[in-house]
Amino acid sequence: MKFRRSERLIDMTNYLLEHPRRLVPLTFFAERYSSAKSSISEDLAIIKETFEQRGIGTLKTVPGAAGGVKFFVKVKEEEVRPFIAHLCDLFRSPERLLPGGYLYMTDIISDPSIVNKVGRMFASAFSDIEIDVVMTVATKGIPLAYAVASQLNVPVVIVRRDSKVTEGSTVSINYVSGSTKRIQTMVLSKRSLAEGSKVLIVDDFMKAGGTVNGMISLLDEFNAHVAGIAVLVESENIEERLVDEYLSLIRLSDVDVKEKKIKVSEGNFFSMNVKNR
């Protein structure tokens, strides 16, 4: 079947978006559309230019006989800043206050439009770093982890508080919670993480960083490496931060239960993003 150029462009674009960071040989597209490699190269140049102009991402060419093209998610600053400002407005709502000064976040974490955008931004920030898996703990951070993993085209590994018989043999560690200073347990299936894996840790909320620090300690048991840490919200007024290098979208500065005021601001996304690039 012979494809018109417009049809090729649409289908190639869709394929690249569905397979981020995967090396696609030019011969694959040439055979798929019964077209010459020179025509495919011209099509990819058009897609690359459009992706970059629209802030969708970029295409990177790998030369050589075994080469091809890879799609990487890249977001523009003019897309990120309004989105973070919108998130800050959502978090400032007095209706989010719960007893004890906690914030209700479930509606945000369960909104696909928000979670998918967060996934794109985290994936963009770490697009130039080699990552094998995304890790999170079994809480509200799971949707975020899957959103990031889908944009990086890697699996998700979920750390649990207790073992499940369906996961086989496990590795467990004890760690100190950063906020409550209590000893807690983390468990991870031995089959879920290959030795030497490069891991991006994703979480929804970080106070002192005890949970994240626990996951880092758990990675040591697998001889795995931390490729990066990304959190949706970080708490600012912490006496002792257990984690130094991390990326955040929102910074929570203060919660005034009496006055029903929540003070939030932009996180360190842009300053840390520069380092990652």
Side-chain angles (χ1 to χ4, degrees):
M1 178 180 177
K2 188 70 175 178
F3 284 77
R4 294 193 301 268
R5 187 173 202 181
S6 58
E7 293 173 328
R8 286 203 314 264
L9 287 170
I10 293 172
D11 192 66
M12 290 171 70
T13 298
N14 183 65
Y15 188 89
L16 291 167
L17 290 174
E18 289 185 344
H19 301 85
R21 294 166 65 104
R22 176 185 292 183
L23 181 62
V24 184
L26 296 189
T27 53
F28 171 81
F29 285 135
E31 294 173 359
R32 185 181 178 95
Y33 309 119
S34 301
S35 301
K37 286 186 179 180
S38 57
S39 299
I40 297 300
S41 295
E42 292 174 0
D43 293 345
L44 290 171
I46 294 173
I47 295 173
K48 174 181 170 66
E49 182 180 2
T50 304
F51 277 1
E52 293 177 350
Q53 286 180 347
R54 303 299 299 174
I56 296 171
T58 188
L59 298 183
K60 294 184 179 180
T61 302
V62 179
V69 65
K70 286 185 178 183
F71 165 66
F72 292 85
V73 173
K74 289 282 187 180
V75 295
K76 290 186 175 182
E77 181 175 336
E78 51 264 38
E79 176 187 353
V80 179
R81 289 198 183 278
F83 177 70
I84 293 180
H86 172 62
L87 283 181
C88 287
D89 289 339
L90 292 177
F91 276 100
R92 290 190 186 102
S93 172
E95 297 177 354
R96 298 204 170 276
L97 281 173
L98 298 172
Y102 293 99
L103 298 184
Y104 180 76
M105 295 175 53
T106 303
D107 61 325
I108 294 176
I109 299 298
S110 62
D111 187 329
S113 64
I114 292 178
V115 171
N116 289 337
K117 285 184 179 178
V118 173
R120 278 177 46 78
M121 290 170 188
F122 283 163
S124 174
F126 294 97
S127 63
D128 297 328
I129 296 177
E130 187 177 352
I131 294 170
D132 298 313
V133 300
V134 172
M135 173 182 278
T136 192
V137 71
T139 56
K140 293 188 291 294
I142 292 177
L144 291 176
Y146 274 100
V148 178
S150 68
Q151 298 294 335
L152 295 175
N153 199 21
V154 297
V156 173
V157 171
I158 300 176
V159 177
R160 304 189 183 278
R161 304 294 185 184
D162 51 14
S163 60
K164 304 288 184 182
V165 67
T166 54
E167 295 189 342
S169 58
T170 60
V171 174
S172 64
I173 65 163
N174 294 324
Y175 71 99
V176 180
S177 171
S179 55
T180 63
K181 304 298 182 182
R182 293 185 302 172
I183 301 295
Q184 300 192 38
T185 302
M186 279 186 178
V187 178
L188 185 62
S189 169
K190 287 184 177 180
R191 300 187 184 188
S192 63
L193 189 63
E195 184 173 341
S197 295
K198 298 175 179 62
V199 182
L200 174 62
I201 295 175
V202 174
D203 208 355
D204 62 314
F205 190 88
M206 184 175 74
K207 291 184 180 179
T211 301
V212 172
N213 198 44
M215 283 190 276
I216 294 174
S217 298
L218 188 57
L219 291 179
D220 290 339
E221 300 296 321
F222 289 82
N223 293 318
H225 311 285
V226 179
I229 301 169
V231 298
L232 177 60
V233 183
E234 64 162 310
S235 184
E236 183 179 38
N237 297 323
I238 299 297
E239 294 182 3
E240 182 183 4
R241 180 80 69 188
L242 301 177
V243 179
D244 295 323
E245 296 291 326
Y246 61 89
L247 187 75
S248 68
L249 286 186
I250 306 294
R251 179 175 289 121
L252 175 64
S253 302
D254 185 55
V255 176
D256 189 330
V257 178
K258 184 177 180 180
E259 297 294 330
K260 292 187 177 182
K261 290 184 178 180
I262 304 168
K263 186 178 181 181
V264 294
S265 59
E266 183 181 279
N268 66 3
F269 180 85
F270 293 103
S271 59
M272 287 298 295
N273 206 6
V274 171
K275 293 181 182 179
N276 287 329
R277 292 182 180 219

